[in-house]
Amino acid sequence: MVVEDGDELGRLGADLVAEAIAARPASSITAATGESPMGLYSVLAARHRSGALDTGALTVFQLDEYLGLVPDDRRSLLGWMRRSFLEPLGIPDSRVVPLLSGGAPERACAVFDAAIEARGRLDVAVLGLGRNGHLGFNEPPSPPRSPTRVVELSADTLKDNARYWGSVAEVPSRAVTMGLRHLLEARRIVLVVSGATKREIVHRALEGPVGPQVPASFLRTAEGDVTVIVDRAAWGDR
């Protein structure tokens, strides 16, 4: 659906997530960082504060993270998720499954996948869209059954994330990401996209060929309910 602005995007996205939580209070959720979903999280937080949204039984699985950061680096994506999603919704660390739980990253990825599989599958995935079509850090090319894994970040992603780090040279070149397999199996997927810089990739993902060169295109083959909410700037005047 195409909406006029970020406020409407946030309200509609929050409606879908809240509906899913009401239907399954013990939902397993993953929540993207990035700018597009921040309004959605603000609306959910307001509903939680008012008592309209019960988050007491949720489990949150981290979507992606940089490798090589020192503990408590404020630029970490876990820290960003904690500030924007977990703390405002009253979700303690005890109900968060981080990607990097200690030891070798590859082993941590296997443990993470096993934790999702033990719960069956994700109930809700709130996602943003990278300018090259990535979901999480599933960079092109990524096959639809890709597992949680260590990845090399693309030049496009390094450039786009440089604003958070000061320069491209400062952005970590490696990361770990939940794989497309678990994302595409989620019962409900809410993809939110805002801004004119995403216009080309929005149309490639929704209207172009489905394939690993645009990982988000696989949303059109997902098992569960998929809703894409795009603001007018990201969609254009079609």
Side-chain angles (χ1 to χ4, degrees), residues 3-153:
V3 300
E4 289 305 314
D5 55 30
D7 288 344
E8 189 177 4
L9 183 151
R11 287 193 302 272
L12 291 175
D15 286 345
L16 293 171
V17 175
E19 177 185 89
I21 293 172
R24 300 176 69 92
S27 287
S28 300
I29 292 182
T30 192
T33 51
E35 296 176 6
S36 292
M38 292 300 112
L40 187 164
Y41 300 155
S42 293
V43 174
L44 289 177
R47 295 182 185 182
H48 173 68
R49 290 193 299 270
S50 73
L53 179 65
D54 181 5
T55 61
L58 297 181
T59 298
V60 179
F61 288 83
Q62 188 180 5
L63 177 61
D64 46 18
E65 184 58 279
Y66 297 109
L67 285 179
L69 302 186
V70 298
D72 301 323
D73 191 317
R74 283 186 58 82
R75 295 168 297 187
S76 81
L77 299 181
L78 181 59
W80 188 349
M81 184 176 70
R82 185 176 287 122
R83 294 187 297 272
S84 65
F85 185 77
L86 300 175
E87 292 175 354
L89 272 72
I91 302 170
D93 285 351
S94 60
R95 287 193 279 110
V96 177
V97 182
L99 281 161
L100 298 173
S101 54
E106 291 78 7
R107 173 60 181 161
C109 289
V111 170
F112 183 87
D113 275 347
I116 296 179
E117 289 157 9
R119 294 181 65 91
R121 57 174 169 160
L122 294 173
D123 296 294
V124 182
V126 181
L127 302 174
L129 177 65
R131 196 162 52 90
N132 62 0
H134 70 225
L135 300 174
F137 278 144
N138 287 283
E139 300 276 41
S142 286
R145 299 297 296 172
S146 55
T148 300
R149 66 204 186 282
V150 174
V151 295
E152 296 287 336
L153 297 181

